[in-house]
């Protein structure tokens, strides 16, 4: 199942690594009739090349909002977002599309596979338009589904579907992987499996990864943990020793 | 809103949510009702006018023309069993040298009884009065002619009656059931300016034509239940010694035959066209409701769980049908009333009835509403039934996820070519073959409608082209008052300005073979004819044999003739001899039931020596008017007709009517196509928004996801176009065989590529309009909102 990848061992000193994605004083306000909901209320945040970062926070603290803005799915009300030093704040629709197309991989709680496409074709959806992608077969082998290429989503379990989604996200070799509760819909064992996969991709491909979870113990697999509360960064800490997902208990 | 039961409030919200779809479906439904009311209403209005008019004026059931018979003959006919009323008349051709007209108008003068109303074919006076006995110069004129020239009672009218120019005084303007469609015998189209019917006192007409105490025209009405065929035969027997030209029934009376033909065309249209709309509306309602019900499985289950009955739930969804029906029906009835009056006005220009109004009867509205409701409910029923059948527990589970198979496209190895997004499109189409087929069929039906609205023009043009470029190539046709010596043709040929002159002998005949019989014309053509040739529909010229006769294919079929058979011909002229020439062959001409032979053969059959009844001329264009003038002044010439002008008029007349049809059919077809594509798009958008949002997240641009959605719709349209073109042709054929008098017209259904192109273009444009709409809503797709929810 494992496959040697033609990649060098990434930089293992996250603090020294250059920032790849950063935001400054990010705010997002939703107008709900009379009241304003401040989903983000001045967030400063950095994701560094090659690191695995976990975003913690209670429900409604603004995690998804932050991730969506960082990934170019949504735009902020104010503040700035930088991708590799480039200001994304002023990017228009087309530039954001290009950004998503080439630079960001997404994994969601609900796998969002295309039901009419096989596993291979779901991945091909991305490799068809990316610049220097993995082969769909290669990407699926990476997530351990090399033998389920021609299965439709309806023929796969939830964990398998999530692995296809991960293969689809990383097949374009994005510098950034954004995961919004990737284990939220999975049982413990399957969740661990998916986390292992993400951790390995981070480690072997050097993809800078931000992962949202409700689940505090999961933070132990990260290089760094950022906690949000009420739309602000409440706490930030560096994990001394990254745990293996298989060591987790919750 | 609290006064409204909760379930109805739910309905109301759904209506607001589905307003676009409801509006388009209502529009399609309205189109169907519009068509139905306009066509059916015009049909029944015309039919009603015809029946009441015929009834009121005692329109005859049997008509006969003859040379001359003493008035006492009529008593013998009156005594025939089954005959109710007999009216004898004197009717003759006249010409009217109207000032300002490039050539004299042709007319018929018909006698009116000296006292009292005619027993048959009474006049409907528009203005003025009938002639008074003893006033020789008083005349009643056909309304269309008077209107074309803008005169009324009191006007002076020059008329050449039996060679004498008389200055008549118009005392009345009238319409007649015999001339609802007033067309000069043998002409292709009506020409109100040049065709007059005059009614004068019997004694005046009789003395002008030396027919005192005699008659040459007879019409009668039958007793209820009497046999028309028997009466026709008996009348023929009695009139035959008096030069009877063969009695005809009402169905062969020129005006009535054309009117009936037009009516049956209209009836066929009224039966066919609304079906398309109603079928499409039923399909759309089914599609939208089925979708809604699948989406609301859990809601349905909840309703059931709290105790709503199946019937209440079914009624709830059928309520949506009512929401579509009410505006659809209102709009449709209004549209039908509007369109019906336009269509009727088209007919008003052609058919003259005393009172022709569009009758929007309650029965018509009721049947329109009933038929469309039936279609709508039928469409809804299949969808609603599945909701009613849903067990509450089952409904609480999410629907089984859509299962896809690799499918034909993948097995054909299209994968690498189509790409992943291409496969999405193809699998979606493959997964719903029935919906794709029905959508394509609906769009195809609309495309076919455009062809049906336009093919008449194409076919007519083709027919006229064939007739006047290939068969009848003369510039002028000269009709003689009575059969003339062949030397007349030589004289005509030597007139300055005449390039070629050819004589034609036309003899009225009755043909029989075995038990079958028809009235026809025997045409004698010169052996080296260049102006009137026999050209088969396929385009090749058919030579006239030296011996025997040629029969048109249509007549041959009717009589069951084969080459070599002996055809029994009764000449309805002169000594009425019976001859039995050999059938030498058939000619597949585009019109009529004629028999052709060499002039010499005709003479020998008929017993006179080569007399000609008309001549065809090719004329130097610069001298044409002077040639025409000269001919008109000759007492032997009864009529000179200009073929090109005839054709042009026929084209114009049909063109105007067809423009309206084309416009109406395009509008309605566009409604249908837009309705189908729009609803498909809406449903695709609703069911697939999650997929499409995912694609956007993966980095596909708006243009790329739009094209995925639109490609699916485009496939349906692209499939529909050939279906529609094919269907349109089939319909046109069906329409033709059902509605057009196959005995007289042998039009070929011809559809020009232009028409196909037009139909395809309309389909593409209407589809593109709905695609644009899709594009707009995709631009508003909420990426995050869609992905946040569980499927
Ligand atoms: N479209 C929206 N309209 C209005 N308010 C919104 C919208 N989306 C998010 N919010 C609000 O913004 C705040 C942050 O939401 P967000 O989804 O980022 O939270 P979260 O941390 O991801 O929560 P969870 O862990 O439950 O996913 C919440 O208070 C939410 O109600
Ligand atoms: Mg969230």
């Amino acid at each position: 199942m494992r496959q040697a990848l033609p990649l060098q061992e990434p930089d293992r000193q996250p603090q020294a690594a250059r920032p790849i994605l950063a935001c400054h004083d990010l705010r997002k306000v939703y107008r709900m009739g009379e009241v304003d909901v401040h989903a983000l209320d001045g967030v400063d945040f950095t994701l560094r090349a090659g690191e695995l970062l976990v975003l913690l926070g209670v429900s409604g603290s603004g995690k998804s909002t932050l991730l969506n803005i960082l990934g170019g799915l949504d735009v902020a009300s104010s503040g700035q977002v930088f991708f590799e030093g480039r200001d994304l704040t002023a990017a228009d629709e087309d530039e954001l599309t290009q950004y998503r197309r080439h630079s960001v991989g997404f994994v969601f709680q609900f796998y969002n596979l295309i039901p009419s496409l096989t596993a291979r074709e779901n991945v091909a959806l991305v490799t068809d338009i990316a610049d220097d992608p993995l082969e769909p077969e290669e990407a699926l082998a990476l997530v351990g589904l090399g033998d389920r290429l021609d299965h439709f989503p309806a023929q796969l379990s939830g964990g398998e579907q999530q692995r296809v989604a991960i293969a689809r996200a990383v097949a374009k070799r994005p510098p950034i992987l954004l995961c919004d509760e990737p284990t939220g819909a999975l049982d413990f064992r399957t969740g661990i499996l998916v986390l292992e996969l993400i951790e390995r991709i981070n480690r072997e491909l050097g993809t800078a990864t931000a992962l949202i979870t409700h689940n505090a113990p999961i933070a132990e697999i990260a290089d760094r943990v950022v906690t949000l509360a009420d739309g602000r960064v409440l706490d930030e800490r560096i994990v001394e020793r990254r745990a293996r997902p298989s060591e987790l208990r919750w | 809103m609290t006064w409204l039961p909760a379930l109805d409030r739910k309905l109301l919200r759904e209506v607001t949510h589905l307003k676009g779809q409801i509006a388009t479906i209502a529009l399609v439904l309205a189109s169907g009702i519009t068509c139905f009311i306009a066509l059916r209403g015009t049909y029944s209005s015309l039919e009603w006018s015809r029946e009441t008019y015929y009834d009121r004026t005692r329109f005859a059931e049997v008509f006969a023309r003859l040379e001359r018979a003493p008035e006492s003959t009529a008593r013998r006919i009156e005594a025939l069993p089954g005959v109710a009323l007999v009216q004898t008349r004197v009717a003759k051709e006249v010409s009217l040298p109207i000032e300002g007209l490039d050539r004299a108008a042709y007319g018929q003068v018909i006698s009116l009884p000296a006292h009292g109303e005619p027993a048959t074919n009474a006049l409907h006076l528009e203005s003025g009065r009938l002639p008074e006995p003893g006033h020789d110069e008083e005349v009643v004129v056909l309304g269309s002619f008077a209107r074309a020239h803008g005169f009324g009672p009191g006007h002076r009218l020059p008329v050449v009656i039996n060679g004498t120019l008389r200055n008549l005084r118009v005392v009345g303007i009238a319409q007649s059931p015999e001339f609802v469609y007033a067309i000069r015998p043998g002409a292709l189209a009506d020409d109100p300016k040049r065709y007059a019917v005059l009614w004068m006192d019997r004694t005046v007409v009789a003395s002008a034509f030396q027919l005192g105490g005699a008659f040459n025209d007879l019409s009668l009405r039958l007793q209820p239940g009497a046999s028309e065929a028997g009466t026709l035969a008996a009348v023929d027997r009695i009139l035959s010694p008096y030069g009877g030209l063969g009695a005809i029934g009402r169905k062969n009376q020129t005006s009535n035959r054309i009117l009936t033909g037009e009516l049956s065309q209209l009836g066929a249209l009224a039966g066919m066209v609304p079906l398309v709309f109603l079928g499409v509306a039923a399909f759309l309602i089914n599609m939208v409701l089925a979708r809604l019900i699948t989406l609301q499985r859990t809601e349905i289950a909840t309703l059931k769980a709290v105790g709503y009955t199946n019937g209440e739930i079914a009624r709830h969804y059928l309520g949506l049908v009512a929401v579509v029906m009410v505006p659809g029906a209102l709009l449709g009835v209004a549209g039908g009333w509007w369109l019906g009056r336009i269509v009727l006005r088209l007919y008003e220009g052609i058919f003259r009835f005393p009172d022709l109004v569009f009758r929007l009867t309650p029965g018509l509205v009721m049947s329109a509403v009933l038929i469309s409701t039936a279609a709508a409910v039928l469409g809804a029923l299949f969808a609603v039934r599945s909701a009613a059948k849903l067990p509450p527990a089952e409904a609480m589970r999410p629907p089984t996820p859509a299962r896809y198979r690799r499918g034909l496209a993948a097995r054909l190895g299209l994968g690498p070519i189509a790409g992943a997004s291409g496969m999405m499109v193809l699998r979606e189409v493959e997964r719903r073959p029935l919906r794709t087929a029905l959508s394509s069929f609906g769009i195809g039906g609309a495309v076919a409608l455009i062809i049906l609205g336009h093919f008449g023009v194409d076919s007519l043009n083709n027919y006229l082209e064939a007739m006047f470029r290939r068969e009848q190539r003369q510039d002028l046709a000269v009709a003689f008052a009575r059969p003339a010596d062949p030397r007349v043709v030589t004289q005509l040929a030597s007139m300055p300005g005449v390039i070629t002159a050819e004589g034609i002998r036309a003899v009225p005949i009755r043909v029989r073979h075995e038990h079958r019989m028809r009235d026809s014309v025997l045409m004698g053509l010169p052996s080296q004819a260049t102006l009137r040739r026999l050209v088969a529909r396929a385009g090749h010229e058919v030579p006239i044999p030296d011996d025997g006769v040629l029969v048109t294919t249509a007549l041959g079929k009717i009589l069951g003739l084969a080459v070599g058979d002996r055809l029994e011909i009764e000449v309805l002229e002169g000594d009425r001899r019976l001859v039995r020439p050999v059938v030498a062959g058939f000619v597949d001409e585009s019109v009529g039931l004629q028999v052709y032979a060499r002039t010499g053969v005709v003479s020998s059959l008929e017993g006179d020596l080569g007399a000609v009844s008309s001549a065809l001329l090719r004329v130097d264009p610069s001298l044409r008017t002077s040639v025409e003038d000269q001919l008109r002044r000759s007492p032997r010439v009864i009529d000179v007709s200009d073929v090109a002008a005839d054709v042009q008029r026929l084209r114009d007349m049909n063109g105007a009517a067809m423009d309206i049809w084309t416009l109406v059919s395009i509008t309605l077809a566009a409604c249908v196509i837009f309705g189908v594509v729009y609803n498909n798009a809406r449903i695709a958008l609703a069911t697939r928004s999650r997929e499409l949002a995912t694609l956007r997240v993966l980095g596909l641009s708006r243009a790329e996801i739009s094209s995925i959605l639109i490609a699916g719709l485009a496939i349906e349209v692209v499939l529909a176009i050939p279906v529609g073109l094919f269907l349109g042709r089939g319909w046109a054929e069906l329409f033709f065989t059902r509605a057009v008098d196959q005995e007289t017209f042998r039009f070929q259904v011809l559809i020009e590529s232009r028409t196909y192109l037009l139909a395809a273009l309309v389909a593409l444009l209407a589809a593109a309009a709905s695609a644009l709409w899709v594009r707009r809503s995709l631009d508003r797709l909420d990426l995050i909102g869609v992905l946040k929810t569980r499927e």
Side-chain angles (χ1 to χ4, degrees):
Chain A
M1 285 237 288
R2 256 183 191 235
Q3 197 165 327
L5 286 161
L7 289 161
Q8 65 274 67
E9 185 75 357
D11 190 346
R12 286 300 300 144
Q13 293 147 313
Q15 290 315 298
R18 70 196 156 86
I20 187 165
L21 191 58
C23 64
H24 174 62
D25 195 23
L26 206 59
R27 289 167 196 275
K28 177 78 182 180
V29 185
Y30 291 108
R31 271 219 102 97
M32 301 295 287
E34 294 300 294
V35 289
D36 285 350
V37 178
H38 293 264
L40 294 179
D41 199 11
V43 172
D44 289 288
F45 169 89
T46 311
L47 180 67
R48 295 174 185 280
E51 77 172 330
L52 175 59
L53 180 140
V54 165
L55 263 175
L56 282 178
V58 295
S59 184
S61 55
K63 306 180 295 291
S64 299
T65 307
L66 176 62
L67 211 68
N68 289 340
I69 294 172
L70 291 177
L73 291 182
D74 202 355
V75 286
S77 306
S78 70
Q80 286 164 300
V81 179
F82 297 94
F83 167 65
E84 296 200 313
R86 204 151 50 84
D87 191 351
L88 286 183
T89 323
D92 64 13
E93 180 60 45
D94 282 345
E95 288 167 314
L96 285 181
T97 300
Q98 289 306 313
Y99 169 59
R100 290 198 302 269
R101 178 179 289 213
H102 299 296
S103 311
V104 193
F106 277 101
V107 178
F108 296 99
Q109 178 179 359
F110 310 117
Y111 333 112
N112 292 326
L113 296 181
I114 306 296
S116 61
L117 296 181
T118 61
R120 188 210 311 256
E121 289 161 345
N122 261 286
V123 178
L125 215 42
V126 166
T127 58
D128 281 352
I129 57 171
D131 278 341
D132 176 30
L134 302 175
E135 286 302 313
E137 294 77 12
E138 217 179 326
L140 284 164
L142 184 67
V143 300
L145 289 174
D147 51 349
R148 309 294 292 272
L149 297 175
D150 289 327
H151 288 217
F152 284 95
Q155 300 164 322
L156 297 170
S157 75
E160 286 163 344
Q161 289 185 50
Q162 191 61 297
R163 278 148 69 194
V164 174
I166 292 170
R168 189 175 65 180
V170 301
K172 63 179 133 184
R173 303 182 205 255
I176 306 167
L177 180 63
L178 303 177
C179 311
D180 193 343
E181 296 188 41
T183 60
L186 303 173
D187 62 56
F188 173 77
R189 285 174 45 82
T190 320
I192 295 292
L193 220 66
V194 164
L195 288 175
E196 273 182 335
L197 192 55
I198 292 171
E199 195 264 352
R200 187 159 59 82
I201 283 163
N202 166 259
R203 198 156 28 78
E204 292 181 0
L205 300 184
T207 313
T209 305
L211 188 149
I212 291 179
T213 180
H214 273 115
N215 223 332
I218 291 181
E220 296 313 307
I221 67 165
D223 296 311
R224 200 152 59 95
V225 183
V226 172
T227 309
L228 289 188
D230 290 333
R232 293 163 201 257
V233 177
L234 181 72
D235 178 50
E236 187 183 329
R237 95 189 141 88
I238 293 167
V239 179
E240 292 307 322
R241 193 193 69 88
R242 233 166 99 159
R244 292 251 154 184
S246 52
E247 299 164 4
L248 295 179
R249 287 291 173 273
W250 67 79
Chain B
M1 282 247 292
T2 39
W3 46 271
L4 213 56
L7 204 55
D8 291 341
R9 259 178 280 160
K10 172 176 177 299
L11 179 69
L12 219 60
R13 296 238 169 81
E14 267 144 23
V15 169
T16 341
H17 187 65
L18 293 171
K19 57 183 182 299
Q21 281 163 275
I22 288 180
T24 48
I25 298 175
L27 215 59
V28 173
L29 208 62
S31 300
I33 298 176
T34 293
C35 269
F36 180 83
I37 290 192
L39 296 175
R40 192 77 218 171
T42 304
Y43 176 81
S44 54
S45 299
L46 280 169
E47 198 178 42
W48 185 85
S49 290
R50 180 181 68 171
E51 290 320 309
T52 50
Y53 189 30
Y54 282 1
D55 222 47
R56 193 155 51 76
T57 53
R58 300 178 298 280
F59 186 47
E61 279 149 328
V62 170
F63 300 79
R65 276 281 170 116
L66 54 144
E67 199 90 340
R68 174 200 186 105
E71 194 59 32
S72 58
T73 321
R75 304 286 81 79
R76 284 168 58 202
I77 290 173
E78 212 158 36
L80 288 173
V83 173
L85 293 167
V86 173
Q87 175 69 54
T88 62
R89 302 187 296 193
V90 175
K92 280 286 189 180
E93 291 81 16
V94 292
S95 87
L96 297 89
I98 307 269
E99 208 165 314
L101 217 55
D102 56 345
R103 50 194 162 97
Y106 171 94
Q108 266 198 75
V109 61
I110 297 174
S111 70
L112 286 170
H115 299 287
E117 285 269 300
T120 64
N121 307 333
L123 295 186
H124 169 84
L125 270 178
E126 285 180 18
S127 61
R129 56 171 175 81
L130 295 179
E132 270 166 18
H135 289 106
D136 286 11
E137 79 296 349
E138 289 187 351
V139 64
V140 170
V141 181
L142 185 67
S144 58
F145 183 74
R147 253 190 309 282
H149 291 283
F151 65 74
H155 185 77
R156 286 279 171 179
L157 199 61
V159 183
V160 178
I161 299 177
N162 203 13
T164 316
L165 177 68
R166 300 177 54 172
N167 199 11
L168 301 180
R169 194 156 63 83
V170 178
V171 295
I173 307 295
Q175 295 183 5
S176 156
E178 281 178 285
F179 302 99
V180 171
Y181 184 74
I183 183 172
R184 194 183 71 191
L188 284 169
D190 65 338
D191 185 359
K193 249 184 149 65
R194 291 204 181 75
Y195 180 58
V197 182
L198 311 174
W199 287 273
M200 295 176 77
D201 186 59
R202 170 88 175 248
T203 41
V204 181
V205 186
S207 68
F209 291 98
Q210 291 92 44
L211 282 164
F215 67 94
N216 73 341
D217 176 286
L218 175 135
S219 55
L220 60 84
R221 276 175 76 86
L222 296 171
Q223 280 161 0
S227 144
E228 187 190 280
T231 311
L232 286 176
V235 169
D236 276 350
R237 229 175 9 257
I238 294 174
L239 292 183
S240 144
Y242 305 105
L245 291 175
I248 53 170
R250 191 191 266 188
K251 83 172 177 13
N252 283 322
Q253 196 265 347
T254 310
S255 158
N256 183 61
R257 195 192 61 222
I258 290 168
L259 175 59
T260 308
E262 196 68 37
L263 270 177
S264 73
Q265 283 193 31
L266 192 60
L269 269 185
M272 268 151 65
V273 174
L275 277 184
V276 182
F277 294 100
L278 298 179
V280 170
F283 162 63
L284 290 181
I285 287 174
N286 177 273
M287 197 167 73
V288 170
L289 266 184
R291 160 83 199 129
L292 193 65
I293 287 168
T294 326
L295 266 182
Q296 300 189 341
R297 286 163 63 91
T298 40
E299 293 171 39
I300 294 167
T302 315
L303 290 175
K304 287 189 181 179
V306 301
Y308 280 96
T309 65
N310 280 344
E312 280 163 332
I313 288 167
R315 261 200 302 286
H316 167 63
Y317 286 103
L318 283 175
L320 216 58
V321 174
V323 173
V324 173
M325 269 313 300
V326 172
L330 286 176
L331 195 66
V333 171
W337 188 65
W338 172 79
L339 181 63
R341 293 191 322 159
I342 290 180
V343 173
L344 196 70
R345 198 155 315 136
L346 281 179
Y347 283 105
E348 210 171 39
I350 305 169
F351 298 114
R352 309 290 176 171
F353 289 105
D355 46 2
L356 187 57
V357 283
F358 188 76
R359 292 160 36 88
L360 188 70
T361 58
L364 185 64
V365 175
M366 285 274 284
S367 46
V369 171
L370 273 181
I371 293 171
S372 46
T373 307
V377 168
L378 194 76
L381 227 48
F382 287 99
V384 169
R385 225 183 33 180
S386 70
K389 279 202 320 214
L390 221 56
E394 151 99 20
M396 281 306 201
R397 282 191 284 275
T400 32
R403 291 206 165 265
Y404 289 83
R405 277 173 300 140
R406 298 206 58 212
L408 194 64
R411 265 178 277 132
L412 288 176
L414 283 180
I417 306 161
S421 38
M423 290 310 288
M424 276 180 77
V425 174
L426 292 175
R427 291 227 175 89
E428 209 56 48
V429 172
E430 281 182 28
R431 199 166 85 90
R432 302 182 190 281
L434 188 67
R435 182 190 290 177
T436 306
L438 285 176
S439 296
S440 295
F441 214 70
I443 298 171
V447 170
L449 205 68
I450 298 174
I451 293 175
L452 195 64
H454 205 259
F455 88 97
V457 185
D458 293 350
S459 301
L460 183 75
N461 283 342
N462 173 51
Y463 164 73
L464 293 176
E465 195 64 28
M467 195 146 146
F468 294 103
R469 296 288 166 271
R470 305 196 312 231
E471 298 170 17
Q472 311 195 358
R473 306 195 296 175
Q474 74 273 20
D475 297 318
L476 294 174
V478 182
F480 301 117
R482 57 191 80 252
D485 192 283
R487 273 174 302 182
V488 172
V489 179
T490 331
Q491 285 167 19
L492 284 175
S494 63
M495 263 173 78
V498 175
I499 301 165
T500 326
E502 285 171 12
I504 286 185
R505 178 78 174 106
V507 184
I509 55 171
R510 178 162 288 180
V511 288
R512 283 191 197 86
H513 181 62
E514 289 158 2
H515 60 282
R516 290 171 291 261
M517 176 190 97
R518 276 293 183 282
D519 285 332
S520 169
V521 180
L522 174 62
M523 302 265 283
L525 303 180
S527 50
Q528 255 84 50
T530 57
L531 298 180
R532 176 69 172 94
R533 304 181 303 164
L534 299 185
V535 181
R537 285 192 295 168
H540 57 274
E541 189 176 344
V542 178
I544 307 171
D546 290 330
D547 219 354
V549 296
L550 277 184
V551 178
T552 55
T553 309
L555 182 60
K557 277 218 185 87
I558 292 168
L559 296 177
L561 286 170
V563 172
D565 282 348
R566 281 202 173 267
L567 176 65
E568 190 182 307
I569 295 183
E570 184 188 348
V571 179
L572 300 177
E573 255 184 16
D575 55 4
R576 302 181 76 91
R577 57 173 68 187
L578 214 62
V579 290
R580 302 173 63 84
V582 172
V583 175
F586 296 100
V587 51
D588 189 16
E589 276 196 318
S590 33
V591 68
L593 306 174
Q594 289 90 247
V595 180
Y596 295 100
R598 285 277 163 81
T599 325
V601 177
V602 173
S603 308
S604 69
L605 288 176
E606 187 211 14
D608 83 8
L609 293 162
V612 293
S613 47
S614 64
L616 305 179
L617 306 184
R618 169 105 76 188
V619 182
D620 179 348
S622 58
L623 294 171
R624 179 188 191 126
T625 11
S626 85
V627 171
E628 271 198 66
D629 277 353
Q630 241 178 303
L631 287 171
R632 266 176 218 299
R633 266 182 266 118
S634 158
R636 275 194 300 207
V637 171
I638 190 79
D639 187 33
V640 181
S641 59
D642 174 346
V643 176
D646 265 16
V647 171
Q648 195 47 50
R649 231 187 16 268
L650 189 60
R651 281 206 171 139
D652 289 349
M653 191 181 84
N654 275 279
M658 284 302 171
D659 281 350
I660 293 191
W661 281 123
T662 308
L663 195 71
V664 166
S665 65
I666 287 179
T667 313
L668 297 179
C671 272
V672 170
I673 297 168
F674 188 85
V676 172
V677 179
Y678 175 88
N679 278 285
N680 272 335
R682 277 305 293 244
I683 287 175
L685 205 62
T687 33
R688 302 177 66 193
S689 55
R690 191 186 187 80
E691 268 180 48
L692 297 170
T694 303
L695 295 178
R696 292 280 283 134
V697 168
L698 294 179
L700 274 75
S701 65
R702 277 180 187 156
E704 284 165 329
I705 59 164
S706 308
S707 62
I708 287 179
L709 199 62
I710 289 168
L713 303 173
I715 286 179
E716 283 167 6
V717 176
V718 165
L719 284 176
I721 287 173
V723 169
L725 299 183
F726 198 73
L727 208 66
R729 208 202 143 76
W731 260 12
E733 301 264 12
L734 187 75
F735 172 71
F736 232 59
T737 48
R738 278 242 308 245
V740 175
D741 179 6
Q742 291 292 305
E743 291 202 3
T744 31
F745 292 104
R746 303 263 296 158
F747 274 16
Q748 231 164 348
V749 170
L750 178 115
I751 297 162
E752 281 175 25
S753 27
R754 256 211 326 254
T755 302
Y756 284 130
L757 214 65
L758 174 77
L761 207 68
V762 171
L764 288 177
L765 282 180
S770 13
L772 268 184
W773 176 89
V774 173
R775 184 65 214 269
R776 223 190 41 170
S777 10
L778 273 181
D779 286 350
R780 291 192 308 228
L781 189 65
D782 172 14
L783 297 188
I784 305 155
V786 174
L787 295 175
K788 206 150 56 179
T789 52
R790 198 169 204 338
E791 206 149 359

